[in-house]
């Protein structure tokens, strides 16, 4: 067999929304940003509330809070970068596979596109005409959009943008509880931090529900309940450790 005709390995098709496109991609980025901000709120607040329960001193709270913010933002950035890089590699492999098929078996690919349009409700004759005209215009773009629900070659996901967006979202979420626990004086420190966190979580829960077109009330209650539980647990642990050390 000629080495030039060896077909590249076929990666698994990623799950794709039937209505994917620029709008869906923007919604995915917004959802990721909301989740990153939510993570920043909960993880940072849980840590600083635990430390505040053990000691009211400013310096330990500042060190713990800033460390949690930086570590969390870096972790989010690295995790998102790795995830999106993997997705980008898969997209490149799918594009390479589609190019090979169009070059080696153009008639089969034309028939495949015709059947896809038939499945969308077009008559056979109309589907053939549409598929043939699209093949003549830009066959690769037609198959990427209709068969794989992907944009063009210049619309691949960017791991650097994803990493920066995740780190920024986490940082914005983490700043709220950090500022509250650092600058609210005296005995009001922990109650105010609790209140700030619960309000922030309510907002992120509302946004995530709206973006996902899901019921708002269950989403908000779920997010607030989980965040409150995390704060209560770390507060209890911090109180026990503070009492033991004292």
């Amino acid at each position: 067999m000629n080495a030039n005709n060896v077909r590249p390995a076929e990666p698994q098709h990623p799950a794709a929304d039937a209505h994917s496109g620029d709008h869906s991609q923007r919604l995915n980025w917004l959802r990721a940003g909301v989740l990153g901000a939510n993570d920043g709120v909960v993880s940072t607040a849980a840590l600083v509330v635990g430390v505040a329960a053990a000691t009211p001193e400013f310096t330990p709270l500042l060190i713990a809070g800033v460390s949690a913010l930086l570590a969390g933002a870096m972790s989010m950035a690295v995790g998102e970068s790795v995830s999106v890089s993997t997705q980008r590699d898969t997209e490149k492999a799918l594009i390479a596979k589609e190019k090979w098929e169009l070059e080696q078996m153009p008639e089969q690919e034309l028939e495949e596109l015709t059947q896809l349009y038939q499945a969308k409700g077009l008559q056979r004759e109309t589907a053939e005409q549409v598929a043939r005209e699209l093949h003549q215009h830009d066959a690769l773009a037609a198959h990427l959009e209709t068969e794989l629900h992907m944009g063009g070659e210049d619309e691949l996901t960017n791991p650097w943008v994803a990493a920066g967006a995740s780190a920024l979202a986490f940082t914005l979420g983490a700043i709220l509880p950090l500022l509250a626990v650092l600058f609210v004086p005296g005995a009001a420190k922990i109650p105010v931090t609790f209140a700030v966190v619960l309000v922030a979580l309510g907002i992120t829960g509302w946004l995530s529900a709206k973006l996902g077109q899901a019921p708002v009330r269950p989403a908000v209650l779920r997010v607030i309940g989980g965040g409150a539980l995390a704060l209560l647990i770390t507060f209890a642990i911090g109180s026990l450790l503070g009492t033991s050390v004292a």
Side-chain angles (χ1 to χ4, degrees):
M1 181 181 294
N2 191 329
N4 291 330
N5 290 328
V6 175
R7 184 171 181 170
E10 297 186 13
Q12 295 295 320
H13 286 210
D17 189 335
H19 303 285
S20 62
D22 290 343
H23 181 65
S24 295
Q25 190 170 11
R26 282 196 298 269
L27 285 180
N28 287 334
W29 284 113
L30 287 171
R31 291 190 190 101
V34 169
L35 292 174
N38 184 78
D39 193 14
V41 171
V42 174
S43 61
T44 304
L47 179 59
V48 295
V49 164
V51 175
T55 175
E57 295 183 14
F58 181 85
T59 301
L61 287 173
L62 177 63
I63 293 173
V66 172
S67 297
L69 188 155
L70 294 176
M74 291 300 297
S75 176
M76 289 290 292
V78 171
E80 193 70 15
S81 177
V82 170
S83 174
V84 173
S85 293
T86 302
Q87 179 182 343
R88 185 182 178 91
D89 290 342
T90 301
E91 290 170 344
K92 286 182 176 179
L94 288 170
I95 290 173
K97 171 180 174 288
E98 204 61 44
K99 285 181 177 179
W100 184 93
E101 290 177 342
L102 287 169
E103 180 181 344
Q104 300 296 325
M105 48 184 73
E107 290 304 318
Q108 292 91 323
E109 286 297 286
L110 179 60
E111 174 61 24
E112 181 180 33
L113 194 61
T114 299
Q115 292 180 10
L116 287 171
Y117 282 114
Q118 282 186 272
K120 291 178 179 290
L122 296 181
Q123 296 294 325
R124 172 72 189 187
E125 183 179 352
T126 306
E128 284 181 348
Q129 181 179 352
V130 171
R132 194 170 298 279
E133 289 183 5
L134 287 174
H135 258 234
Q136 292 172 354
H137 175 67
D138 190 337
L140 178 61
H143 280 271
L144 291 180
E145 180 181 356
T146 306
E147 181 183 349
L148 302 176
H149 308 285
M150 290 173 56
E153 292 183 86
D154 57 345
E155 297 179 18
L156 297 179
T157 51
N158 190 321
W160 294 105
V161 172
S166 293
L168 178 61
F170 184 96
T171 300
L172 292 176
I175 284 175
L176 296 175
L178 180 57
L179 292 178
V181 82
L182 287 177
F183 296 109
V184 174
K189 183 184 298 293
I190 292 179
V192 170
T193 302
F194 264 77
V196 168
V197 167
L198 295 182
V199 170
L201 290 177
I203 293 172
T204 60
W206 179 84
L207 283 174
S208 64
K210 285 296 184 180
L211 293 172
Q213 298 182 346
V216 172
R217 183 182 176 86
V220 170
L221 293 177
R222 194 162 48 237
V223 173
I224 290 178
L229 180 61
L231 293 179
L232 289 171
I233 291 172
T234 54
F235 175 76
I237 294 172
S239 299
L240 290 173
L241 292 176
T243 302
S244 300
V245 171

